[in-house]
Amino acid sequence: MASRPPALLDGFGRAARKLRVSVTDRCDLRCVYCMPERPVWLPRAELLSYEELARLAAVAASRGVTQVRVTGGEPLIRRDVHRFVALLKAVPGLAEVAMTTNGTRLAAQAAALKAAGLDRVTVSLDSLDAGTYRAMARVDGLSDTLAGLDAAEAAGFGPIKVNCVVMRGVNDSQVADLAAWGRRTGRELRFIEFMPLEGDAIWDRSLMVPASEIAAAVIARFAAVERPGAAHSTSVSYDYADGRGSFAVIAPVTRAFCADCDRVRVTADGTFRTCLFAERGADLRGPLRAGAGDAELALIMADAVSRKGPGHLIGLPGFHRPDRAMNAIGG
Ligand code: SAM
Ligand code: SF4
């Protein structure tokens, strides 16, 4: 019997199991914590086709990756992204295909995504107040995102997780209201600490609200108990004491989960990144378009993973920003 190819293993014993694939760096929103106000897009010729991206996902799956999350930029602004979902669903070894979206175009696409086999969708929403939404996204989109959430549920996605980046002095006073809305609608809020990945370099520790403070704000309104941690989980979940669901906090800054990290990323232009904060990535597009076989592509991935560092250094003197903003990496 042929032996299984080795997993993508780093020097700290972590195996890559989850892959995020960015299909575009473009977006219809301009979130202040992500996109530069005046973005310079990746050249279109450098973007990989869905077939090319699916091939890279298949190579990663042949080396032990079991979950793919489609992201961006905004994945729903790339044409017919449901076609990419269908390609991923045909990849042997992938147990789950999920997507993270800002939801503004979800109402029109939820049914097609469901039909293509998308397993889960996470929607990002930072505020239920139209003015705050606009202040953070620099575009009016609240009603579209809310319509997208409803449509996704009507199409059979659910329960839906809602990502919310918390910024001091912007939406931090709304955390408990968002949690209340989540309890009412059956959506799990996942509050995220603001990370220094934004295009306009505005990050400052004072703008970041620690996860402990976020959790305390929710618990002050609704009693909740921390759930024992799941391995490789990036979040800490809290179950409401009255049984009406849960919320989670994601603390990349104050409670880094690097020691358990099982993620790798492929950007829309085909660079392979082993950490959100990697200063640069390994090029897969060049070899792919030059005719490299699967074994050669797997070797590039394996080599990059073998050199993965122990963790990021946010807030410490050795920290350097990556060479691109979040929208061009794939969050
Ligand atoms: N456009 C889609 C969306 O917003 O859901 C997918 C891409 S976005 C980069 C993925 C996730 O990263 C979103 O939930 C977003 O809120 C989060 N994100 C972006 N920049 C971030 C930052 N600087 N710190 C923390 N989370 C961030
Ligand atoms: Fe666009 Fe998502 Fe970045 Fe906001 S977080 S600018 S929606 S890619």
Side-chain angles (χ1 to χ4, degrees), residues 26-31 33-35 72-74 102 326-327:
R26 292 169 193 246
C27 189
D28 52 336
L29 304 186
R30 294 285 181 276
C31 303
Y33 50 74
C34 175
M35 185 79 85
E74 174 46 43
N102 64 33
M326 183 66 136
N327 67 295

Side-chain angles (χ1 to χ4, degrees), residues 20 27 29 31 33-35 70-75 100-103 122-124 126 163-165 192-198 203 252 326-327 330-331:
R20 300 209 159 197
C27 189
L29 304 186
C31 303
Y33 50 74
C34 175
M35 185 79 85
V70 181
T71 182
E74 174 46 43
T100 304
T101 169
N102 64 33
T122 300
V123 175
S124 303
D126 301 319
N163 282 355
C164 171
V165 177
I192 310 175
E193 289 176 349
F194 175 27
M195 296 180 273
L197 286 166
E198 74 295 358
W203 192 89
M326 183 66 136
N327 67 295

Side-chain angles (χ1 to χ4, degrees), residues 187-207:
R187 296 161 185 161
E188 185 191 85
L189 264 295
R190 294 158 57 81
F191 299 103
I192 310 175
E193 289 176 349
F194 175 27
M195 296 180 273
L197 286 166
E198 74 295 358
D200 289 333
I202 58 167
W203 192 89
D204 182 273
R205 192 170 271 276
S206 66
L207 283 175

Side-chain angles (χ1 to χ4, degrees), residues 34-85:
C34 175
M35 185 79 85
E37 190 166 13
R38 290 190 187 76
V40 179
W41 307 123
L42 296 170
R44 278 193 196 275
E46 291 181 7
L47 300 190
L48 299 197
S49 68
Y50 288 149
E51 285 72 17
E52 288 172 322
L53 288 170
R55 176 155 172 234
L56 295 178
V59 170
S62 76
R63 301 294 299 266
V65 164
T66 58
Q67 295 177 30
V68 172
R69 181 167 288 271
V70 181
T71 182
E74 174 46 43
L76 297 182
I77 70 168
R78 183 153 173 186
R79 187 177 304 191
D80 295 336
V81 73
H82 59 88
R83 203 170 66 71
F84 180 51
V85 170

